Amino acid sequence: MKKQVIALLTAAMMVGAMAGCGSGGADATTAAADTTAATTTAAETTTAEDTKAADTEAEDGAETTAAEAGADGKVLVMATNAEFPPYEYHDGGDIVGIDVEVAEAIAEKLGMTLEVEDIAFDSIIPELESGKADIGVAGMTVNEDRLKNVDFTDPYTTASQVIIVKEDSDIAGPDDLKGKYIGVQLGTTGDIYASDYEADGSTIERYNKGFEAVQAMQQGKIDAVVIDQEPAKVFVSQNEGIKILDEALTVEEYAIAIKKGNTELLDQVNGALGELKESGELQAIIDKYISAE
Ligand code: GLN
């Protein structure tokens, strides 16, 4: 309990400091107000002595490092590919979505300012490796291959691949993908999954954006699209005449990618993510974009 209070107090202090900077816009201010309110309740249950002890302890902890970073106005650069609703997408001139809000909440907790960099999905890991970006948040599935090149935080949600077809398609399940033209987004787990079908005579068409694959299918260029479930739901809701097949093809976990060996940042982000899970803030962000079935 004490640890939790320390974390909350430190986070609130940092968020409070951040609120004055005005970097995060209206949302950040709201979040700051919420956190402060929650903390007051937690602090009330703590005696003055406890609080003092907490302060001393916190000075040696990771939170202090983050607070110092905040004092310097340190920027946390998030690499993403904003073609993946509801996780990241363009809304007018803004890049919004679950991942953006989660990253913003993490940056706030670390006393940092979030900067979002929109690049090709398959450039995200190289960008982390070269140090140009700090975190890759892009509905990115944890898998063995990627773990060779980057570290992942604890997962923040689960996901699966699904098949989108035209409403009148003769494809009713994964077996029917054999010999067909399958569209995917380049370098994704959908690409990896569909590529197995090449041995069955299927042709894989790789697009830079998932939506381009959907468009190609509507133009009759390909027979099916394999893509993550939530973006699939968005694309199907926005376009006539296409549907998602019931059978989910994979079970996956999304996590935040960080440069291999940067355990300091990994620990900090995991700490912040843990707090967001515990407070219910993470679920609230997800619920804002994904309605329960
Ligand atoms: N979850 C998929 C992957 O990690 C797709 C991510 C994406 O297209 N942004 O490959």
Side-chain angles (χ1 to χ4, degrees), residues 42 47 63 81 88 104 148 175 244 264:
T47 67
E63 289 90 353
N81 174 240
E88 43 270 326
E104 241 155 30
K148 288 181 197 151
D175 271 355
I244 299 172
E264 189 185 344

Side-chain angles (χ1 to χ4, degrees), residues 84 88 121 138-141 146 161 185 187-189 228 252 254:
F84 199 67
E88 43 270 326
F121 183 75
M140 195 182 278
T141 303
R146 292 172 182 165
Q161 297 299 308
Q185 187 184 2
T188 60
T189 45
D228 299 52
E252 306 183 6
Y254 291 171

Side-chain angles (χ1 to χ4, degrees), residues 24-102:
D27 278 359
T29 314
T30 317
D34 286 355
T35 314
T36 313
T39 310
T40 311
T41 322
E44 274 162 6
T45 63
T46 320
T47 67
E49 211 171 69
D50 273 353
T51 312
K52 209 170 161 201
D55 282 342
T56 318
E57 267 176 60
E59 265 159 36
D60 303 315
E63 289 90 353
T64 310
T65 314
E68 280 165 7
D72 306 341
K74 204 170 167 197
V75 172
L76 185 68
V77 179
M78 160 180 167
T80 195
N81 174 240
E83 304 294 340
F84 199 67
Y87 295 95
E88 43 270 326
Y89 57 99
H90 294 271
D91 182 14
D94 298 327
I95 295 173
V96 298
I98 294 170
D99 288 346
V100 180
E101 291 205 24
V102 169

Side-chain angles (χ1 to χ4, degrees), residues 15 25 78-79 90 125 153 171 189 201 235 246 268 274 277:
V15 168
M78 160 180 167
H90 294 271
I125 290 182
T153 62
I171 299 172
T189 45
F235 295 146
D246 286 340
Q268 286 180 334
K277 284 181 189 173

